[in-house]
Amino acid sequence: MKLNKKISFLILGAVIGLTVSLPYFFSGQLLAEKTWSQQFYDRNGKLLRLTLSGDEKYRFFTDYKEINPKLVEAFLNKEDQFFYYHPGFNPLALSRAAYKTYLTQGRKQGASTITMQVVRLLYPETTKSISGKFVQILQALKLETLYRKEEILLAYLNWAPFGSNLEGVGAACFFYFNKSCEKLTSEQIEFLVQIPQNPQKFTKLASEKKQNLSFRVPHFIEYLKQRGIESKAVKTTLDLNLQETIEKLAGSYFQSIERHGIKNYSLVVVDTTRNEIITYIGSRDYFNSEIKGQIDANRSLKPPGSTLKPFIYALALQQGLIHEKTLLKDTRMTFSGLNPENFDEQFLGPMSSGQALILSRNLPSVDLARKLANPSFYDFMKDKSALKFKDEKFYGLSLPLGGVEMSMLDLMKLYASLAHLGKYSDLNVTLEKQKSLYQQILTPESVYIVLQMLKKNPRTESLTFQDLTKTAMPLAWKTGTSKSYKDAWTMGLVGNYAVGIWLGDNDREMNPALIGRNVAAPLYFQVYDYLRNKPQYLKGHENPVWDSRVGLNVKNVHICSVSKKLVTENCGHRTEEALFIPSVSPIETCRIHRKVYIDPATQKMSCKPDVLNHTQSKVMEVWPDDLLAVYKEAGLKKVTLSEKKFSCDDSLSRIGQINITSPQENIEYMIQTQQGRLKKPKIQLRAISESDSQYLDWFVNKNYVGRSYKNDPLFFETDVPGRYSVSVSDNLGRSQSSYFNVKVISQ
């Protein structure tokens, strides 16, 4: 008797010791012990994708309110009738099973409670032996002490096997019946409750049910998962009808240009009214390994080319450097020793800021960008890319020319901000928790004007009369081509939609056909035509906010049609209107048209009329030398005051400027030493002056060097290192000064 008591105490101690010493298997939230599949739907409830859980299962979290109570009752009757009465294991059932299995050598019987099955589903390796079954019982006891019965039962309903890699009643209802568990019939309930006891029997059927599983917009789903969206059922912003239509449209268009060796494309459409992504194509073919189709081209970083130029012009408008039609110089310029070129390697001379933007001229953009301050273009851009920007000096002149890597999504956020008149925000991808925080990065007035400039960008193809009479949504768009022909872009606004298109190659191969206006823009207009011709997409987009100046500080001002500056009496009838921001836009008056007085007898000119009124007045154009040179290259003759060997001495004639183009302040000129002998640098002295300048006098360190005439350079030599001052003045008293450095190097 004493021995039996000792054995009983030993067993009891072992049970207590094992229970206490068991690893802390459970986190405190039972259902958090396993990961879940996610269900992604479009904005109208159409299934886009089901993802696998972390352990490669289709397992949907399903709460009691989503389950037919009769299904719960059926599982209790089938698996564990005494679930609410035992402590985690059923002693009677265990005794009966042990007797029939081991003593009578009969057919094996199970005695696992639902609690024990939950333990087995968590740790299947502990149930393969008698000792393992004993540990399972101890774990079941502990599970019952940590969780309520309802939690344990819900875990079972969500984890029970249903054939193949289907787990839980949510996945079973979806795959076997394509419905939610709350809508099951009695026959369907009877079918489901038999599966967990022998799930292998249903593997073939489960596999067949998975064959037609939706696998739409894979890049978009991966983007959502990368953003950390963890909801079990995600209702996204995507419009599947529009997505599939544009996929077909883009695929058909791509076939027409594929012969040019173009390999891939991506496309995004954003409804900017709520900043929602409604179409997302990450590559031409997700499953095409030859083009590395699984790479999401909308998230990979690439040079954006000229698609950044609208933001340079918006900043220039905001900072009062230009108005809508300010005359800019598309001429050869040198910046810190660098000589940027235009895409076509030509210079078109003077043109309005609107023309320069639409024609994507590089020189005016670089010249404007270097003048920007508070913010500079670098400061404006540095937090607008997924790429962490390097130091400003690293980019130099390349930044305004698109010499930085950005993703399509980065650009879409920038262009969506234009639709919001300068308010910048992240893009929404789900219909839940849309709490976009907007940051005002540009003034509404500057955005309005730059979009009016882009609206004048003509379509790339001719239109039929039928096209012209269709209802139109306003559009403003810009193309871009990266250096070495690796990326072709078109970005813009269509009503309240922002549309972005990229064509290129994930391997970054060069292709001369990759020019934004030639290959990306036509697809952009196909998207535009589709959107404006479908009432469901046209409605509410005919009059976007960005196309209205109501409430904005923007005025129409008369300017000279030649100089693009405020009119004077000398401009005559050659005037036009331009958009101005009062108290911000430049208010310079026209200096191209200047009045002179000519003696009809001698043809001599003067800046003042003759006392006896023998002179006749005449208005002449006075252009800077660099623009005159461009006109000359183009074969256009400009009659200027300096060509008539005339000089005005009055103060009005001194209005104008001289710009020293060489030497440059940021350049070091080298004195080379070879075998003890000095080789003096030959430093060119050159400046751009007004056309009424007849000559230029040069001074270095206040010492006179010499005189140069129209477009003829002068040279200065020195063998003394140091910092030098250089000054130049013309015959009308206009002057300019600068500095340069001379340094000795040994060879």
Side-chain angles (χ1 to χ4, degrees):
M1 188 70 180
K2 289 182 178 180
L3 181 61
N4 289 338
K5 279 187 177 182
K6 285 184 178 181
I7 292 173
S8 298
F9 279 119
L10 285 171
I11 293 173
L12 181 60
V15 170
I16 295 172
L18 281 169
T19 304
V20 172
S21 62
L22 278 172
Y24 192 78
F25 286 107
F26 312 112
S27 68
Q29 292 185 347
L30 182 56
L31 288 167
E33 297 292 336
K34 287 182 180 284
T35 57
W36 305 94
S37 299
Q38 285 182 285
Q39 306 162 56
F40 292 93
Y41 298 91
D42 89 328
R43 64 189 307 112
N44 300 310
K46 295 180 181 179
L47 182 67
L48 299 174
R49 172 94 171 271
L50 297 176
T51 66
L52 290 167
S53 65
D55 54 350
E56 301 293 311
K57 307 290 185 183
Y58 285 109
R59 184 190 299 120
F60 308 156
F61 173 74
T62 312
D63 207 348
Y64 280 119
K65 63 183 179 182
E66 303 171 86
I67 305 174
N68 189 329
K70 292 182 179 179
L71 179 63
V72 179
E73 184 181 350
F75 271 112
L76 287 171
N77 290 333
K78 183 78 172 177
E79 299 290 340
D80 192 350
Q81 296 181 25
F82 301 100
F83 173 72
Y84 284 103
Y85 305 102
H86 60 65
F89 71 98
N90 188 332
L92 293 176
L94 280 173
S95 300
R96 183 175 63 251
Y99 174 78
K100 290 190 175 182
T101 302
Y102 298 107
L103 296 180
T104 65
Q105 301 294 315
R107 187 168 63 89
K108 288 185 178 181
Q109 284 193 356
S112 294
T113 63
I114 282 180
T115 308
M116 293 171 66
Q117 290 185 60
V118 169
V119 171
R120 185 179 71 242
L121 291 169
L122 274 172
Y123 304 103
E125 68 278 359
T126 63
T127 63
K128 297 179 181 179
S129 63
I130 295 176
S131 60
K133 183 66 70 175
F134 180 62
V135 172
Q136 187 184 99
I137 292 171
L138 296 179
Q139 291 173 327
L141 288 169
K142 187 168 186 178
L143 199 67
E144 292 273 355
T145 64
L146 292 173
Y147 303 104
R148 294 180 294 109
K149 287 285 188 180
E150 289 77 10
E151 293 178 274
I152 296 170
L153 178 58
L154 188 61
Y156 171 78
L157 293 171
N158 277 278
W159 296 346
F162 283 91
S164 185
N165 62 341
L166 307 185
E167 288 192 0
V169 294
C173 293
F174 177 83
F175 281 99
Y176 286 117
F177 307 120
N178 193 27
K179 62 170 60 175
S180 65
C181 292
E182 56 188 333
K183 298 180 180 179
L184 294 177
T185 65
S186 299
E187 292 77 11
Q188 291 167 341
I189 290 173
E190 185 178 350
F191 172 80
L192 288 181
V193 295
Q194 63 178 316
I195 299 177
Q197 290 191 353
N198 189 8
Q200 292 80 10
K201 180 180 177 181
F202 296 87
T203 298
K204 182 178 179 181
L205 178 60
S207 299
E208 291 174 355
K209 294 291 184 180
K210 292 187 296 179
Q211 285 182 356
N212 296 322
L213 188 61
S214 175
F215 193 80
R216 293 161 169 155
V217 290
H219 292 108
F220 182 61
I221 302 303
E222 289 170 5
Y223 172 48
L224 266 64
K225 294 176 72 176
Q226 181 266 336
R227 285 184 60 160
I229 295 173
E230 299 178 349
S231 304
K232 65 164 188 172
V234 182
K235 198 165 187 180
T236 72
T237 57
L238 203 81
D239 183 333
L240 186 58
N241 290 333
L242 182 63
Q243 173 79 21
E244 292 180 338
T245 298
I246 292 185
E247 282 178 356
K248 292 177 183 177
L249 187 150
S252 176
Y253 171 74
F254 184 79
Q255 289 179 1
S256 70
I257 62 170
E258 193 173 10
R259 66 183 184 276
H260 299 300
I262 300 172
K263 296 182 180 179
N264 205 0
Y265 62 84
S266 71
L267 188 153
V268 176
V269 179
V270 172
D271 185 342
T272 64
T273 55
R274 294 183 180 85
N275 259 23
E276 296 174 345
I277 295 177
I278 58 174
T279 299
Y280 192 102
I281 301 174
S283 75
R284 173 166 63 97
D285 183 354
Y286 182 84
F287 298 102
N288 189 332
S289 59
E290 292 183 2
I291 64 169
K292 297 182 179 178
Q294 293 192 14
I295 295 176
D296 185 352
N298 289 328
R299 286 194 286 154
S300 59
L301 298 173
K302 298 174 281 288
S306 295
T307 60
L308 296 182
K309 287 177 181 173
F311 303 94
I312 296 173
Y313 282 77
L315 287 168
L317 286 161
Q318 175 176 305
Q319 296 180 19
L321 299 177
I322 60 172
H323 57 72
E324 180 197 11
K325 296 180 180 179
T326 295
L327 196 67
L328 302 179
K329 299 177 182 179
D330 182 28
T331 60
R332 190 176 302 280
M333 301 183 201
T334 301
F335 306 95
S336 301
L338 299 176
N339 301 291
E341 295 279 350
N342 283 308
F343 179 78
D344 56 8
E345 299 182 351
Q346 296 179 7
F347 301 100
L348 302 182
M351 61 177 59
S352 71
S353 48
Q355 288 177 307
L357 176 57
I358 289 173
L359 297 176
S360 207
R361 308 310 292 173
N362 287 341
L363 274 300
S365 297
V366 173
D367 193 33
L368 284 176
R370 73 184 182 89
K371 296 174 182 176
L372 296 174
N374 300 317
S376 66
F377 191 55
Y378 172 85
D379 290 333
F380 176 82
M381 288 298 306
K382 66 182 179 182
D383 59 349
K384 307 299 188 303
S385 170
L387 175 74
K388 184 177 180 180
F389 269 39
K390 298 181 181 180
D391 185 79
E392 185 172 6
K393 293 180 181 178
F394 174 83
Y395 300 102
L397 299 182
S398 68
L399 187 58
L401 302 180
V404 64
E405 291 189 331
M406 302 184 73
S407 71
M408 168 71 83
L409 294 175
D410 294 331
L411 289 173
M412 290 303 295
K413 286 190 282 188
L414 280 170
Y415 274 80
S417 76
L418 297 181
H420 292 283
L421 291 176
K423 293 180 180 178
Y424 180 82
S425 175
D426 204 355
L427 303 176
N428 290 312
V429 291
T430 68
L431 296 180
E432 295 85 14
K433 296 181 180 179
Q434 295 191 1
K435 295 181 180 179
S436 299
L437 299 176
Y438 288 94
Q439 173 191 1
Q440 192 78 47
I441 60 172
L442 293 165
T443 63
E445 290 80 8
S446 66
V447 173
Y448 172 78
I449 294 176
V450 86
L451 289 174
Q452 295 306 304
M453 293 157 69
L454 290 174
K455 277 183 66 178
K456 297 180 176 68
N457 199 357
R459 287 188 67 148
T460 54
E461 76 279 23
S462 58
L463 296 176
T464 65
F465 177 76
Q466 184 179 6
D467 291 326
L468 292 170
T469 56
K470 288 179 181 176
T471 303
M473 287 188 284
L475 75 161
W477 61 287
K478 183 73 186 72
T479 60
T481 303
S482 67
K483 189 178 180 181
S484 301
Y485 302 97
K486 294 180 180 179
D487 308 275
W489 300 87
T490 294
M491 307 290 301
L493 301 180
V494 175
N496 285 317
Y497 300 107
V499 179
I501 294 168
W502 168 85
L503 289 96
D505 179 7
N506 283 332
D507 285 326
R508 313 297 301 141
E509 289 185 4
M510 185 184 77
N511 185 339
L514 287 171
I515 298 174
R517 193 172 189 88
N518 293 351
V519 295
L523 179 55
Y524 175 88
F525 282 103
Q526 288 190 26
V527 173
Y528 165 70
D529 287 334
Y530 178 79
L531 291 172
R532 69 171 175 150
N533 291 325
K534 294 295 179 182
Q536 65 268 39
Y537 299 117
L538 174 64
K539 186 178 180 181
H541 293 264
E542 305 96 323
N543 301 296
V545 173
W546 60 263
D547 198 32
S548 170
R549 72 165 76 175
V550 175
L552 300 182
N553 181 31
V554 175
K555 304 292 182 184
N556 282 85
V557 175
H558 286 280
I559 60 169
C560 172
S561 59
V562 177
S563 67
K564 309 300 182 184
K565 296 182 180 181
L566 296 178
V567 294
T568 67
E569 61 178 9
N570 295 332
C571 296
H573 299 293
R574 290 168 291 188
T575 64
E576 59 184 296
E577 286 190 339
L579 294 171
F580 263 59
I581 306 174
S583 301
V584 176
S585 298
I587 55 173
E588 296 175 273
T589 55
C590 175
R591 296 201 303 262
I592 297 294
H593 294 108
R594 302 189 190 179
K595 184 179 288 187
V596 297
Y597 298 89
I598 304 173
D599 185 327
T602 63
Q603 290 298 306
K604 289 184 178 181
M605 290 185 291
S606 172
C607 293
K608 296 180 180 180
D610 187 279
V611 177
L612 299 178
N613 253 347
H614 292 159
T615 55
Q616 298 174 348
S617 64
K618 182 177 182 180
V619 174
M620 300 190 69
E621 294 182 10
V622 180
W623 290 87
D625 289 349
D626 56 340
L627 296 183
L628 284 176
V630 174
Y631 279 127
K632 187 176 181 180
E633 288 179 12
L636 301 173
K637 184 71 172 177
K638 284 284 181 183
V639 178
T640 63
L641 293 180
S642 58
E643 287 180 346
K644 293 184 178 294
K645 305 300 181 184
F646 174 74
S647 172
C648 286
D649 294 325
D650 68 331
S651 60
L652 291 176
S653 68
R654 294 185 177 88
I655 298 174
Q657 61 183 357
I658 299 177
N659 290 318
I660 297 174
T661 59
S662 178
Q664 297 180 48
E665 188 170 354
N666 296 322
I667 297 297
E668 288 187 333
Y669 297 87
M670 303 301 178
I671 302 173
Q672 299 179 359
T673 60
Q674 292 180 333
Q675 298 178 350
R677 298 180 60 184
L678 295 177
K679 186 178 180 182
K680 298 179 182 180
K682 200 171 184 181
I683 301 170
Q684 186 182 78
L685 305 178
R686 181 186 285 273
I688 296 172
S689 63
E690 301 288 344
S691 61
D692 56 353
S693 297
Q694 293 185 16
Y695 57 80
L696 299 174
D697 286 325
W698 290 90
F699 301 83
V700 174
N701 284 349
K702 299 183 179 180
N703 296 315
Y704 182 70
V705 176
R707 176 174 291 180
S708 63
Y709 293 89
K710 282 290 171 183
N711 299 317
D712 294 329
L714 194 67
F715 292 93
F716 170 75
E717 295 183 356
T718 182
D719 57 4
V720 180
R723 184 170 175 81
Y724 288 77
S725 66
V726 58
S727 302
V728 62
S729 61
D730 69 358
N731 57 296
L732 300 180
R734 292 173 291 214
S735 63
Q736 180 64 274
S737 299
S738 184
Y739 294 89
F740 64 95
N741 296 298
V742 177
K743 187 177 180 181
V744 177
I745 59 169
S746 301
Q747 289 189 336

